[in-house]
Amino acid sequence: MASNRKAALGFIFITLLIDITGWGLIIPVFPKLIGELTHANISTIGRYGGWLTVAYAIMQFLFAPVMGNLSDQYGRRPVLLFSLFGFGIDYLFLSFAPTLGWLFVGRVIAGITGASITTATAYIADISTKEDRAKNFGLIGAAFGLGFIIGPAIGGLLASFGSRVPFLVAAGLTLLNTLYGYFVLPESLPKENRRKFEWIRANPFGSLKHLNKFPGIWGLVISLILVYIAAHSVQSTWSFFTIERFHWSEGMIGISLAVVGVLVAAVQGGLIRIVNPILGNERSIYIGLTLYAVGLFLFAFASQTWMMFAFLVPYCLGGIAGPALQATISNHVPANEQGELQGALTSLISLTTIIGPLVMTNLFAYFTQPNTPVHFSGAPFLLGAILMLGSAIVSYLVLKREKKIPSVDRIA
């Protein structure tokens, strides 16, 4: 049984790695492509980038619970393959888009079908015990890390051949990943742990309401929401910020994201497996969120290129918080509802991906536009630091309350 679990984790890790590498390929060149289609300045390009993210997020919010519930009935494998295929089609749309509108069409398709991370998380929950769930969830972060070493570095190099080339390579890689999963990826959800699909639980609001059955979930979910909104200060503005403040090229952006990948892979794939058993989930949450806040605060006031690389260290060390918080939430939910849980969480994360990019990119645009009263392109990072500290406070209050209530149940 243990060897089968290790093999399954290996399969899902490789699948996620290829998926995320394809995603990483396009990040360094996305501002350039938007600029070519709109001929706008960096502030306006940042706003368009935010709206493209929102288009994807709205579709994710509406359809992630459907995909999560489908995976609870039919298994994780078919849903994951369908999601990968949808991303491949999205990249093809982005590759050949003649106008900005076609970029939105591609993002909508990806949002409807995109459930790779949701399904992978449920997959890992299926094959994990309570004791190793947090470190196994860390494999998702490790796949992100390695994917962001390979993807952005290659994407930055490919950008020299044209702004469309990274998108074509990403499409080919993702569609090949679909074939890999079809022939190699095993199913993780036993038939006895499956349940019938129910529309009332598959709509985004119904699945969120269902979380009320589990004590403590909402407080921890609020903490998770704050983390994801704060993270968009980096995810939604990194390329725009570094272009505006340091005049980085696509290649330099790719290198910086590759460094992020190295650090994230080291933390999620290695350090967390040592630190989490020692600290436990609760202290991992507090320490990680504090490190996130420190890193973001330092980004906001960085004045030289080397500082951005140095300040990545505390920020990426903050990654010990995410898997610990996710494992704590997962431990409140039974095995046959993990897919629904992850679908509901993805819907909430999608809501933050509606709110986060709009807030962060507009904040960036406001403080970098020509007539701004105060020029401060680091404003999104400063807000992100405040939100991370807020998340730490919420987590502390919720977990402290649970310790005082013996009736709170946790499910392995």
Side-chain angles (χ1 to χ4, degrees):
M1 180 65 72
S3 61
N4 288 341
R5 285 179 177 174
K6 286 184 179 180
L9 282 171
F11 287 134
I12 201 68
F13 176 78
I14 294 298
T15 300
L16 280 174
L17 175 61
I18 297 173
D19 185 26
I20 294 161
T21 297
W23 184 30
L25 277 168
I26 71 171
I27 293 176
V29 76
F30 215 47
K32 182 179 180 181
L33 179 60
I34 296 172
E36 288 176 356
L37 294 174
T38 62
H39 308 289
N41 60 33
I42 190 65
S43 297
T44 305
I45 290 171
R47 279 201 174 101
Y48 283 134
W51 281 109
L52 283 164
T53 304
V54 168
Y56 172 82
I58 290 173
M59 294 300 103
Q60 274 277 283
F61 174 70
L62 295 174
F63 287 92
V66 175
M67 304 300 279
N69 276 264
L70 285 172
S71 79
D72 278 342
Q73 177 171 354
Y74 297 107
R76 316 303 184 199
R77 184 175 178 274
V79 173
L80 184 57
L81 295 179
F82 179 68
S83 172
L84 294 174
F85 180 76
F87 271 120
I89 299 302
D90 167 43
Y91 293 141
L92 287 176
F93 267 92
L94 299 180
S95 301
F96 297 104
T99 65
L100 186 67
W102 282 102
L103 295 185
F104 280 95
V105 172
R107 292 281 76 195
V108 166
I109 291 172
I112 292 172
T113 62
S116 57
I117 305 301
T118 306
T119 313
T121 306
Y123 190 108
I124 290 172
D126 292 339
I127 60 175
S128 300
T129 63
K130 180 179 179 180
E131 289 72 27
D132 63 10
R133 192 166 279 160
K135 68 178 183 180
N136 287 344
F137 278 146
L139 285 175
I140 298 174
F144 263 96
L146 288 174
F148 267 74
I149 296 169
I150 302 167
I154 296 174
L157 293 172
L158 290 174
S160 62
F161 297 101
S163 61
R164 310 283 180 144
V165 174
F167 295 91
L168 285 169
V169 174
L173 196 60
T174 305
L175 293 173
L176 284 173
N177 193 21
T178 307
L179 288 175
Y180 167 82
Y182 180 80
F183 289 108
V184 177
L185 191 69
E187 179 55 63
S188 66
L189 185 64
K191 290 188 177 180
E192 61 270 20
N193 284 341
R194 299 185 188 185
R195 62 173 181 80
K196 288 187 65 176
F197 180 88
E198 299 175 49
W199 275 110
I200 194 167
R201 296 170 72 171
N203 76 75
F205 302 102
S207 64
L208 298 182
K209 184 178 179 181
H210 178 68
L211 296 180
N212 289 328
K213 295 194 319 184
F214 306 106
I217 281 286
W218 274 109
L220 295 171
V221 165
I222 288 171
S223 179
L224 193 65
I225 288 171
L226 292 175
V227 170
Y228 275 97
I229 292 176
H232 273 286
S233 61
V234 174
Q235 294 172 14
S236 297
T237 69
W238 181 269
S239 297
F240 308 119
F241 171 82
T242 53
I243 290 170
E244 193 277 338
R245 183 171 289 189
F246 304 111
H247 309 290
W248 282 7
S249 65
E250 292 84 10
M252 190 62 177
I253 293 170
I255 291 170
S256 71
L257 292 174
V259 172
V260 172
V262 171
L263 293 172
V264 170
V267 172
Q268 302 283 351
L271 184 64
I272 196 170
R273 291 174 170 266
I274 300 170
V275 169
N276 185 268
I278 296 171
L279 296 179
N281 286 335
E282 186 174 349
R283 282 192 292 175
S284 294
I285 291 169
Y286 303 148
I287 294 171
L289 292 176
T290 302
L291 287 167
Y292 268 145
V294 170
L296 287 168
F297 181 83
L298 293 172
F299 287 153
F301 296 97
S303 58
Q304 298 183 46
T305 286
W306 69 263
M307 293 180 179
M308 295 301 288
F309 287 91
F311 299 158
L312 281 171
V313 174
Y315 179 77
C316 291
L317 284 173
I320 64 172
L325 183 55
Q326 198 166 18
T328 303
I329 295 172
S330 181
N331 288 340
H332 288 74
V333 177
N336 66 348
E337 297 186 19
Q338 288 292 330
E340 182 176 18
L341 169 67
Q342 301 308 329
L345 290 179
T346 300
S347 286
L348 283 169
I349 291 167
S350 296
L351 278 177
T352 69
T353 312
I354 296 169
I355 299 167
L358 284 180
V359 171
M360 299 304 179
T361 55
N362 277 283
L363 197 61
F364 171 82
Y366 177 79
F367 283 102
T368 56
Q369 61 189 359
N371 60 343
T372 183
V374 178
H375 189 94
F376 181 45
S377 55
F381 296 134
L382 187 59
L383 176 59
I386 294 169
L387 293 176
M388 286 294 186
L389 289 177
S391 176
I393 293 170
V394 171
S395 295
Y396 173 77
L397 293 174
V398 170
L399 295 174
K400 182 180 179 182
R401 178 180 60 83
E402 282 195 0
K403 291 176 183 176
K404 294 180 179 179
I405 305 175
S407 61
V408 172
D409 296 324
R410 295 175 182 82
I411 302 167

